[in-house]
Amino acid sequence: MIQGVIFDVDGTLFDSLSMWERVDQLYLDRKGVKVTPEISRQLFHLPLEKGALFIKNKFHLKEDVDTIMKEIMHISRDMYLNEVPVKKGVLSVLNYFQEKHIPMTVATSNNKELVKAAFHRHHMGHYFKDILTSDEIGRGKNEPDIYLKACQQMHVSPENTLVFEDALHALKTVKTAGFRSVGCFDAYSIQDQPQIKRLADHYVVEMDEILKEIKE
């Protein structure tokens, strides 16, 4: 029985992962720096502060890390407010759980203000009990802390909680911690899809595919 639901954001609720390459490119273009695919891959896996430090050291920028972070955040917020789309089937799933009075929480590695900006644009904030971030929790998704905190807030147990994730490392954590999982297809992690399919309890290409399974 599903008593609570946890959603990742980027690659799960929003088709936003490829945007981060554009953010890095836009920022560094303004500095007259050419971004290679290898640099983009390295930056993608770094949290904002570490990414800003990497950029500063790699390209010998005169700006301090805080200034770099603020400029990147400005570009990112503009994209989340104006460009980032909701993935297909998401709203149907959110409406279903809301109608069933099943609490929902967000667990993300992203910045809370960026998530709020996207939620504001798409009128989605009312669906969720809270937005939990890895920065606030103090641990990334290689550890279960953020998911366990979400359970605590919803007053549910992991075995009765459904977690929607697109990232392989996050799904491994969820599985080990005893949650039920939905692996969500995202083109940005195409190489991981075979493993995600094997690992997750459910696998969807479009999120509303899960409704048929949980209604049966």
Side-chain angles (χ1 to χ4, degrees):
M1 182 178 178
I2 301 168
Q3 297 178 350
V5 188
I6 301 171
F7 290 93
D8 172 54
V9 174
D10 296 290
T12 300
L13 294 177
F14 295 113
D15 190 5
S16 51
L17 291 177
S18 61
M19 182 212 77
W20 284 101
E21 287 188 355
R22 292 173 52 214
V23 170
D24 297 333
Q25 289 166 354
L26 281 170
Y27 176 76
L28 290 169
D29 281 348
R30 295 175 184 179
K31 305 300 177 183
V33 175
K34 180 69 175 176
V35 182
T36 65
E38 178 58 31
I39 294 296
S40 291
R41 281 192 292 272
Q42 288 178 271
L43 285 170
F44 176 76
H45 294 288
L46 295 175
L48 181 60
E49 185 172 2
K50 289 184 179 179
L53 180 61
F54 175 86
I55 287 171
K56 176 176 175 59
N57 293 336
K58 179 73 176 178
F59 301 109
H60 309 291
L61 301 183
K62 64 181 180 181
E63 292 85 358
D64 60 33
V65 170
D66 284 343
T67 300
I68 294 171
M69 288 172 60
K70 286 176 183 176
E71 291 183 24
I72 291 173
M73 279 290 294
H74 180 77
I75 296 170
S76 304
R77 189 173 188 278
D78 183 66
M79 288 189 176
Y80 273 86
L81 272 174
N82 298 296
E83 296 184 31
V84 170
V86 179
K87 295 186 80 170
K88 191 171 182 180
V90 164
L91 294 179
S92 296
V93 173
L94 297 181
N95 283 322
Y96 172 81
F97 288 125
Q98 185 178 64
E99 289 166 4
K100 295 293 184 182
H101 304 290
I102 297 172
M104 295 175 274
T105 296
V106 162
T108 179
S109 300
N110 201 343
N111 177 274
K112 181 175 284 190
E113 293 310 310
L114 296 183
V115 175
K116 285 182 175 180
F119 282 177
H120 176 76
R121 178 186 178 215
H122 295 287
H123 309 288
M124 291 170 60
H126 65 282
Y127 288 109
F128 303 104
K129 186 175 181 66
D130 200 358
I131 300 169
L132 301 180
T133 71
S134 296
D135 283 345
E136 291 173 334
I137 300 299
R139 292 180 182 271
K141 289 187 174 180
N142 289 316
E143 301 291 339
D145 302 61
I146 192 168
Y147 305 108
L148 296 173
K149 179 66 174 179
C151 279
Q152 181 184 355
Q153 290 189 347
M154 294 187 291
H155 306 289
V156 297
S157 60
E159 61 267 26
N160 293 320
T161 303
L162 194 61
V163 181
F164 289 77
E165 277 281 1
D166 69 292
L168 179 59
H169 72 280
L171 285 164
K172 288 178 178 178
T173 300
V174 165
K175 191 76 169 180
T176 301
F179 290 85
R180 296 169 62 185
S181 61
V182 181
C184 302
F185 172 82
D186 190 78
Y188 204 84
S189 55
I190 191 70
Q191 72 282 354
D192 293 331
Q193 296 311 304
Q195 287 180 271
I196 289 172
K197 282 183 181 181
R198 289 194 296 268
L199 182 66
D201 296 302
H202 307 276
Y203 178 81
V204 297
V205 175
E206 295 175 3
M207 192 181 285
D208 56 358
E209 293 169 9
I210 193 63
L211 295 180
K212 183 177 184 297
E213 296 189 41
I214 62 179
K215 286 179 179 178
E216 289 179 348

